[in-house]
């Protein structure tokens, strides 16, 4: 096992990996539930772990931490996730 010296600064992961998104996001995912099959791929692939599943297994995006990367929209097999421009 490799020992890390205690004085080396290490990033500490937090909810959403990089913390709250702030105001810089340009696009955000909007889920069209009429097309959603509850396959959960977006939930598994979200790079920030910001997609939760409701009790009925429909996904819900936590916009506080979503970075707008669009991975969820890319992996959705039914094109249920649309990346829309943020309204500031
Ligand atoms: S846009 Fe990126 S960060 Fe936001 S929910 Fe989709 S995969 Fe997660
Ligand atoms: S990947 Fe698409 S179809 Fe699957 S749960 Fe997410 S929004 Fe629904």
């Amino acid at each position: 096992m490799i020992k890390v010296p205690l004085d080396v600064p290490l990033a500490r992961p937090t909810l959403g990996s990089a913390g709250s998104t702030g105001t810089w996001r340009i696009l955000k995912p909007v889920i069209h539930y009429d097309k959603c099959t509850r396959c959960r791929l977006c939930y598994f692939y979200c790079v920030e772990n910001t997609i939760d599943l409701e009790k009925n297994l429909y996904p819900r995006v936590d916009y506080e931490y979503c970075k707008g990367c669009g991975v969820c929209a890319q992996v959705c097999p039914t094109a249920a996730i649309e990346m829309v421009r943020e309204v500031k």
Side-chain angles (χ1 to χ4, degrees):
M1 190 173 104
I2 300 172
K3 285 202 167 188
V4 179
L6 289 177
D7 57 349
V8 173
L10 295 174
R12 303 258 180 244
T14 62
L15 184 63
S17 294
S20 297
T21 300
T23 59
W24 55 264
R25 188 177 58 215
I26 298 170
L27 299 171
K28 69 176 184 180
V30 172
I31 300 172
H32 297 289
Y33 288 100
D34 56 324
K35 293 183 184 174
C36 176
T37 60
R38 296 184 283 186
C39 72
R40 296 179 289 167
L41 278 180
C42 56
Y43 169 76
F44 290 124
Y45 276 90
C46 174
V47 295
E48 292 290 330
N49 195 23
T50 63
I51 296 181
D52 292 324
L53 296 177
E54 305 280 11
K55 280 187 182 160
N56 57 15
L57 296 183
Y58 278 107
R60 181 179 52 79
V61 177
D62 184 346
Y63 291 111
E64 179 73 18
Y65 298 101
C66 168
K67 301 296 181 287
C69 66
V71 168
C72 53
Q74 288 293 316
V75 299
C76 177
T78 62
I81 302 179
E82 180 184 6
M83 298 302 292
V84 301
R85 188 163 284 277
E86 287 277 2
V87 179
K88 303 280 186 194

